[in-house]
Amino acid sequence: MLFCVEMTVKIPLDSDPVKMDEIKRAEKERAIDLQKAGKWPHLWRVTGKYSNISIFDVESNNELHDLLMSLPLFPYMDIKVTALSQHPSSIH
Amino acid sequence: MLFCVEMTVKIPLDSDPVKMDEIKRAEKERAIDLQKAGKWPHLWRVTGKYSNISIFDVESNNELHDLLMSLPLFPYMDIKVTALSQHPSSIH
Amino acid sequence: MLFCVEMTVKIPLDSDPVKMDEIKRAEKERAIDLQKAGKWPHLWRVTGKYSNISIFDVESNNELHDLLMSLPLFPYMDIKVTALSQHPSSIH
Amino acid sequence: MLFCVEMTVKIPLDSDPVKMDEIKRAEKERAIDLQKAGKWPHLWRVTGKYSNISIFDVESNNELHDLLMSLPLFPYMDIKVTALSQHPSSIH
Amino acid sequence: MLFCVEMTVKIPLDSDPVKMDEIKRAEKERAIDLQKAGKWPHLWRVTGKYSNISIFDVESNNELHDLLMSLPLFPYMDIKVTALSQHPSSIH
Amino acid sequence: MLFCVEMTVKIPLDSDPVKMDEIKRAEKERAIDLQKAGKWPHLWRVTGKYSNISIFDVESNNELHDLLMSLPLFPYMDIKVTALSQHPSSIH
Amino acid sequence: MLFCVEMTVKIPLDSDPVKMDEIKRAEKERAIDLQKAGKWPHLWRVTGKYSNISIFDVESNNELHDLLMSLPLFPYMDIKVTALSQHPSSIH
Amino acid sequence: MLFCVEMTVKIPLDSDPVKMDEIKRAEKERAIDLQKAGKWPHLWRVTGKYSNISIFDVESNNELHDLLMSLPLFPYMDIKVTALSQHPSSIH
Amino acid sequence: MLFCVEMTVKIPLDSDPVKMDEIKRAEKERAIDLQKAGKWPHLWRVTGKYSNISIFDVESNNELHDLLMSLPLFPYMDIKVTALSQHPSSIH
Amino acid sequence: MLFCVEMTVKIPLDSDPVKMDEIKRAEKERAIDLQKAGKWPHLWRVTGKYSNISIFDVESNNELHDLLMSLPLFPYMDIKVTALSQHPSSIH
């Protein structure tokens, strides 16, 4: 089941850079794991912004919520979730 | 080069149903052609709305504009275009 | 799996009242069927508006989309879909 | 009498984690009490956000206000209150 | 129990003036009845707009909804309902 | 002359509680004085928010501005002012 | 007493041009009268829009409302009214 | 003196196509004249929309307003005007 | 050449009052100078807000920008600039 | 390939002025380099705001993103990116 998730990262300018680098490292690691697990089939950077547009493939809303909550950058993100369905004109 | 394109279709309620069915048929045909040509790699229906979230893969802004203008439903659509870039954490 | 769906009905003032009454009748019938089928566990009227806040219980996004598209009043509605998950403090 | 209440929690990133954990613990306790008392019949997590959509069942606006003010997380929340009425198509 | 209700009237410019005058006459009559019945204690015109800010005093959300639906101009109005509670600094 | 004034109070979470309690005490005192003077005939709490909807009765815009500026909580408030006029259907 | 009034004119594209020219003629005449009477001290066109930003000088909200309602183009306008007060740094 | 002008064209779907083609032809002619006269140095199409982002070079606000009002498509356009100034980092 | 400029002042609550008083003093002095120079013909306080609606009379966009940047409170202000033109119904 | 990029700079009021001057110096230097390289053909200041409207000429979305990320002020900016295409009425 697919969801489009838009994540905008807002890191306070006075954050501790060392701490943030560690969180970003963990975020990247987590993102790669989820992509390899097939849960996060698409991850694109929005040109010009510290945001991404992603597609998640999950079994349920609960699973999606738990995955997003598990992202180290979750507390720093505005997240918009849009449920997706099969489009009648899609060849996939 | 990827773009995320959100299309919301607004067909006037007093439209001629026969004419609209013809336009929708042509729209589906055009969408299938563009998907087969690799220009429109992803086309998802937004759950609960007459809208879609799509990913286009084109050579330039001009090509994207021409493709979107060529859609029979173009005059009936609100379109939002978001340029996408490679995400540093994407495994693709 | 639960979704919160907000539906605002906008019927053009110059609509044919006979036709609209028929559509509203069919809408009520459809809503009652879906409630009895357990798909539409909650349906509340927003005080002062021709809108409702509903909770749908479905197996997937696709099912939700098909249910909403099957509503006779669908073409007359602005619909907002919010995916819901289990709340850690809920006793249900 | 039913109200739909949407609560979005915004905890400053530089908050004292120990203090916040205590407030969250008290919040959960209070939420469970109110649910058991029948005042808070529904509490759902919005997928992907630190927000909930809730249904409150109270005797008056005043009672609703006092209940919401009594939530330990009240100072950290954006709250939207929507009055609900009986829907003519509801089977409940 | 008090509610603040903001009503903005939008009458299509091509409406039949005779019909609209009749509806406005019925609206005024209904408004006066409800004021005399104590249900509509305050009715103010928003300066410069075909809108009003009103205070309703009702027993329940359902009663408020029925009253608003009973207004002849209801189909022509955008309505915003805000539940009100006792203010701790009010001397009334 | 009447104005509807909506005041939303936003007190920084890291404010000095002692200082704020003093300001709130002074605010309440000032509000009571103005109500007794007939300048502030209505003061209602917006259910679920640290906001109020008020009606002021003043001689001029200048007087209203001075009254609002004199409120101890003024620096902590978002204020929306709406000029009101006599409604042709009002029985008052 | 001063008010800033922003008026945006929206004339339906399928309006009768003869009728509209007559209304615009009457509007201009009315605007000139009110300016000469000192009620409408400033009337500026917003560059690039069928809108104006005006300053009205009136005795009360009621007078302002009646003046605006008396404008032949009133039914075709979105109007925003902002009450103005004496600025402490103004030399006038 | 430069202005950034964003124009979004909204042509009613039930417009007479012959009449609109004539207006569009005249619009193109007018746009070319103004570009050649140096008044309209930049005219770009917004990808995916019937909109443009333009730069006008004029002597005054009045001149800009008259130029925009002279565009045959003016009645069909939403226009946003942004005054531009010399940027301290611009090499032009 | 006229511009309508709306300035909303937002001074952080934890600012140094002595420093701010000095900046406000300098702001008032600068405003008076510009009014006397004829550059700032109108300066009105928005009732109930720490905002003003002003009219500037300048030779160019650049001049307006430099004047606004020269205001001591510039860093604390949200500013909206609207270009104004001669209104065909204005008697001035 | 052209993009319109609107950048609004928001520097916290309590920033270290020395550090910010250094970042602004580096920003100006970077901007001049990119203009000379033909990547940033137009850079205009929005009158009255710490914002600019720019036109970038790049080979791809990725290149645009990398250029914008390379701006020293990037962390302090709200950025809006609009893809541009050839306008059929443009003489360029």
Side-chain angles (χ1 to χ4, degrees), chain H residues 25-38:
Chain H
R25 195 198 53 70
E27 175 82 9
K28 182 162 187 170
E29 202 175 292
R30 182 70 179 138
I32 288 170
D33 288 348
L34 290 175
Q35 291 175 77
K36 286 179 179 169

Side-chain angles (χ1 to χ4, degrees), chain J residues 39-85:
Chain J
K39 295 296 179 183
W40 196 337
H42 299 289
L43 166 56
W44 297 293
R45 172 63 79 217
V46 173
T47 303
K49 290 181 187 285
Y50 195 175
S51 309
N52 71 59
I53 289 180
S54 293
I55 303 296
F56 279 78
D57 188 352
V58 291
E59 297 305 312
S60 69
N61 299 353
N62 283 346
E63 186 189 4
L64 177 60
H65 185 72
D66 295 341
L67 290 184
L68 295 173
M69 287 282 281
S70 76
L71 296 176
L73 279 177
F74 179 81
Y76 300 90
M77 294 202 278
D78 284 344
I79 291 181
K80 179 187 171 192
V81 170
T82 305
L84 299 179
S85 302

